[in-house]
Amino acid sequence: MSMFSTGILVLTAPLHTLPLRIAPVLSSASQLVERTLYVHLHPGLNLGSGTQPRPVFIPPVVELSTLITRLYSNAANVCGHLDVRVLLTNVGTHLAPSSENTIPNCPFPTPLHLSHSPEVVLTDFPLQDPGQSHQVSQCLQKYTGYCYVCSPKLHSVLLHPQLPILEGKEEAIMEFEEKVHLEPLETYSDVVVGGTFDRLHGAHKTLLNISSLLANRRFLIGLCDQAMLKKKALKDLIEPYSLRVQRLREFLQDTKPSLLVEIVPLDDPFGVSVVDPLLQCIVVSEETRKGGEAVNKKRIENGLSALVLHEIQLLKDAHHTETEEEKISSSSLRSRLLGTLLAPPKDTSHLPPLPYVIGLTGGSGSGKSSIARQLEDLGAIRIDCDKLGHEVYQPGTTAYHRVVEEFGSDILNEDKTINRRALGTKVFGNQERLKALTNIVWPEIALLVKNIICQARDKGKQVCVVDAAVLLEAGWTDMVHEVWVTIIPEEEAVLRITERDGVTTEDALRRLQSQWSNAKQIEHANVVLSTLWEPEVTRKQVLKAWNLLQRRIQTSPEGQ
């Protein structure tokens, strides 16, 4: 069967039996859906009775909270490529008002719009008779149409026949069903959480879903802004604040549109949680419980009542490496982005397809040259622009004569070579004079780079790496197929520069501040690398980047 971009999974098994069934169901669903999978819960839904079922309100219970955690944990393990969203659109504690135009106890007066219109509806409903298949499929489509606006050509798939046997657990499930008692979940008018919410993952979604489940009226989110991001790992790869807000709103609009959602910048560990008198509950994890307790201490100092601390479980990351956290975390996800293609290459049809040219840049101390040497060891032709920069100053060159003419003969040594230190004093702190110098030198370096690329092409070389600290400032991106940027935190760069060059901390900072920031360079990057950790970690990044590059070259029309 063909793949669908977006699907909606209607789970019909009793709530307390789903935790044992959810992994194989998600695994089957992931064979059909490739982008977004919505999960709609209707425990006990009977699609084979011959009567068209309609959606009803499901009461919030503790088991629902447990299921949400289990569902996102399983999703991270078996279908991490999918954007899974558990819908709480039919969860409520009261009946819908009855009128001529509404159906009692129906949570959907009209079908809801989701951010991505479902193209296929899937279900775990078990067929008692194979002859029911067509009838059940039709019931499923109509039921889903009562709830959500779907694609006009909505397909339906019954997953149950494809599910693997649960290894003898069915009997245990049946025994458990007879004993279970669903425990009501205490809910609150106004609920608050805080976090970075970078690249929404399963742990974020668990927190958001459970918080939404607890909130009856308003959900307040303190979203970490600049001051709260300074100590985050690979902070320059954190999504912009506005994008994180947009993704939070879209997720919450899908999952519980009835909530009043407020998202405010979080510039300190407390934010509005210590001054808002309407808040009743704060959702924390074992890791952030102390932060919640600190919030309550501040609230009491401010004459406000303490918040109920609702603690949720951290999700384990089954795919974490030795250098990553055991829990699912944004920092681990950011580290996995290193070496991958973050943005597709721009149009380079004006360039010959081979050799494929990588422009490698990064701030002082970022380890750019060590990465360039590793790429050279893997087979790339390395073009060292720092070395070429020295060549263009040699007596007799075009740049030599123009520099002497522009800046005077007093910059020359006795042997008529250019004294780079004397030249530096003439341009230091003077942007106009510095631009006059770079306008002379940079085009000459670019000509040398192009000559080396042509030589590499004549020799049949596949890849060139232009190792250039000023690649972006000089506008040399038109010479390369992709831009790769190396980054490290500013404090680490300062340490490296002071140790390597014997300069003061202040001088190192001035040098870094005269260059493009990590964030600005990343805006132009196709691939980002970091030498922050042990050399072996960097080697793995470079090898990953190289192998992915080879695939891109081989599969692109130009590289064939």
Side-chain angles (χ1 to χ4, degrees):
M1 183 172 286
S2 61
M3 291 286 283
F4 300 92
S5 176
T6 304
I8 185 162
L9 172 61
V10 177
L11 293 176
T12 67
L15 197 57
H16 44 278
T17 70
L18 272 171
L20 290 176
R21 305 177 193 266
I22 195 64
V25 172
L26 286 173
S27 180
S28 294
S30 69
Q31 305 304 309
L32 299 167
V33 179
E34 56 187 355
R35 188 180 70 172
T36 305
L37 180 66
Y38 294 109
V39 179
H40 175 92
L41 299 166
H42 190 144
L45 176 66
N46 188 348
L47 295 168
S49 66
T51 304
Q52 180 62 51
R54 291 186 179 262
V56 297
F57 276 107
I58 299 170
V61 291
V62 172
E63 287 76 12
L64 183 54
S65 173
T66 304
L67 174 64
I68 288 169
T69 303
R70 183 70 170 266
L71 200 150
Y72 281 121
S73 178
N74 286 161
N77 293 340
V78 303
C79 54
H81 66 287
L82 280 182
D83 176 8
V84 176
R85 305 182 183 192
V86 180
L87 302 174
L88 303 176
T89 45
N90 60 331
V91 177
T93 55
H94 56 276
L95 301 181
S98 180
S99 72
E100 292 181 5
N101 300 318
T102 61
I103 302 169
N105 199 30
C106 180
F108 302 98
T110 58
L112 293 175
H113 284 271
L114 297 169
S115 300
H116 310 285
S117 182
E119 301 161 5
V120 61
V121 55
L122 316 165
T123 187
D124 64 338
F125 181 77
L127 286 178
Q128 302 301 320
D129 175 2
Q132 287 183 308
S133 178
H134 180 68
Q135 174 194 321
V136 169
S137 292
Q138 284 192 319
C139 277
L140 178 63
Q141 288 181 341
K142 287 181 181 178
Y143 173 88
T144 309
Y146 290 143
C147 305
Y148 307 103
V149 177
C150 300
S151 167
K153 296 181 179 179
L154 183 70
H155 296 261
S156 61
V157 177
L158 311 183
L159 293 176
H160 194 271
Q162 304 171 30
L163 299 184
I165 296 172
L166 292 176
E167 300 178 0
K169 293 179 181 177
E170 292 289 351
E171 186 176 335
I173 290 173
M174 290 174 67
E175 290 179 4
F176 181 66
E177 284 182 17
E178 297 174 1
K179 301 175 183 178
V180 75
H181 172 68
L182 299 181
E183 180 185 348
L185 183 71
E186 186 172 357
T187 58
Y188 309 90
S189 173
D190 295 54
V191 174
V192 64
V193 299
T196 307
F197 296 102
D198 177 41
R199 294 178 171 82
L200 287 183
H201 51 64
H204 289 144
K205 293 174 182 179
T206 302
L207 174 61
L208 294 168
N209 263 138
I210 292 177
S211 299
S212 297
L213 188 62
L214 295 169
N216 294 322
R217 187 185 76 91
R218 181 176 62 134
F219 183 19
L220 177 63
I221 302 174
L223 186 60
C224 292
D225 206 359
Q226 295 298 325
M228 292 292 289
L229 302 179
K230 289 182 179 178
K231 294 184 179 179
K232 298 286 185 182
L234 298 171
K235 67 180 180 66
D236 297 302
L237 287 178
I238 293 175
E239 294 172 321
Y241 180 87
S242 59
L243 180 57
R244 287 179 284 137
V245 169
Q246 176 187 328
R247 290 188 171 166
L248 280 170
R249 290 200 179 280
E250 179 188 292
F251 179 84
L252 293 167
Q253 178 63 30
D254 275 346
T255 55
K256 194 171 181 181
S258 61
L259 273 184
L260 171 62
V261 175
E262 291 182 16
I263 303 173
V264 296
L266 189 61
D267 295 312
D268 62 63
F270 302 107
V272 296
S273 65
V274 297
V275 295
D276 190 325
L278 298 178
L279 294 174
Q280 296 178 332
C281 172
I282 183 169
V283 184
V284 298
S285 66
E286 180 184 355
E287 192 178 66
T288 61
R289 186 176 184 88
K290 287 186 177 179
E293 291 170 349
V295 164
N296 275 341
K297 185 178 178 182
K298 283 277 188 183
R299 283 181 68 88
I300 291 169
E301 289 174 3
N302 292 341
L304 299 174
S305 58
L307 303 175
V308 174
L309 298 184
H310 184 97
E311 185 175 322
I312 64 170
Q313 296 177 357
L314 291 171
L315 298 193
K316 297 288 185 181
D317 187 347
H319 307 291
H320 79 277
T321 65
E322 292 180 2
T323 59
E324 296 173 346
E325 297 178 272
E326 287 188 12
K327 65 172 185 175
I328 295 178
S329 73
S330 296
S331 59
S332 294
L333 296 183
R334 289 195 293 274
S335 71
R336 292 173 198 171
L337 292 175
L338 298 172
T340 67
L341 192 68
L342 298 183
K346 63 183 182 183
D347 178 19
T348 54
S349 55
H350 64 286
L351 295 176
L354 294 175
Y356 199 85
V357 184
I358 301 300
L360 179 64
T361 191
S364 185
S366 66
K368 169 181 59 65
S369 294
S370 68
I371 287 177
R373 287 191 289 272
Q374 290 182 51
L375 291 169
E376 186 175 26
D377 291 340
L378 289 168
I381 299 296
R382 179 189 176 202
I383 303 173
D384 186 345
C385 290
D386 189 47
K387 183 179 177 182
L388 296 181
H390 285 84
E391 288 184 19
V392 300
Y393 283 108
Q394 294 301 311
T397 63
T398 301
Y400 174 89
H401 292 297
R402 291 185 61 194
V403 168
V404 173
E405 181 181 346
E406 178 71 31
F407 294 94
S409 58
D410 56 328
I411 62 170
L412 297 177
N413 296 311
E414 289 184 5
D415 62 358
K416 302 301 182 181
T417 57
I418 291 176
N419 184 321
R420 300 279 291 273
R421 186 181 295 273
L423 178 59
T425 60
K426 291 203 172 193
V427 299
F428 181 76
N430 187 326
Q431 289 299 316
E432 187 177 334
R433 298 301 285 155
L434 178 61
K435 190 172 187 308
L437 177 61
T438 57
N439 283 347
I440 295 170
V441 174
W442 285 350
E444 295 300 315
I445 297 175
L447 285 175
L448 295 179
V449 169
K450 290 175 181 177
N451 287 338
I452 296 173
I453 293 172
C454 285
Q455 292 169 18
R457 184 179 308 116
D458 293 340
K459 294 176 182 177
K461 299 299 181 181
Q462 290 283 305
V463 180
C464 288
V465 175
V466 179
D467 177 0
V470 296
L471 179 86
L472 300 175
E473 294 95 322
W476 292 342
T477 55
D478 64 340
M479 295 193 297
V480 305
H481 294 86
E482 292 182 18
V483 174
W484 292 15
V485 171
T486 62
I487 61 169
I488 55 170
E490 184 179 84
E491 55 271 21
E492 176 66 19
V494 168
L495 285 173
R496 293 184 184 184
I497 294 168
T498 53
E499 289 178 9
R500 182 189 67 192
D501 300 340
V503 298
T504 65
T505 297
E506 290 73 21
D507 286 340
L509 274 171
R510 272 195 293 271
R511 184 184 304 179
L512 289 171
Q513 288 163 0
S514 69
Q515 301 170 352
W516 282 23
S517 67
N518 285 342
K520 189 174 181 180
Q521 292 190 68
I522 288 171
E523 289 177 9
H524 299 265
N526 301 107
V527 174
V528 174
L529 301 157
S530 178
T531 62
L532 179 59
W533 301 278
E534 294 79 7
E536 181 57 29
V537 177
T538 303
R539 277 193 288 273
K540 288 179 179 178
Q541 280 179 41
V542 173
L543 187 58
K544 176 168 71 172
W546 178 260
N547 289 336
L548 291 173
L549 172 67
Q550 298 308 306
R551 289 187 210 169
R552 291 199 289 281
I553 294 174
Q554 290 165 12
T555 57
S556 66
E558 295 87 354
Q560 292 176 355

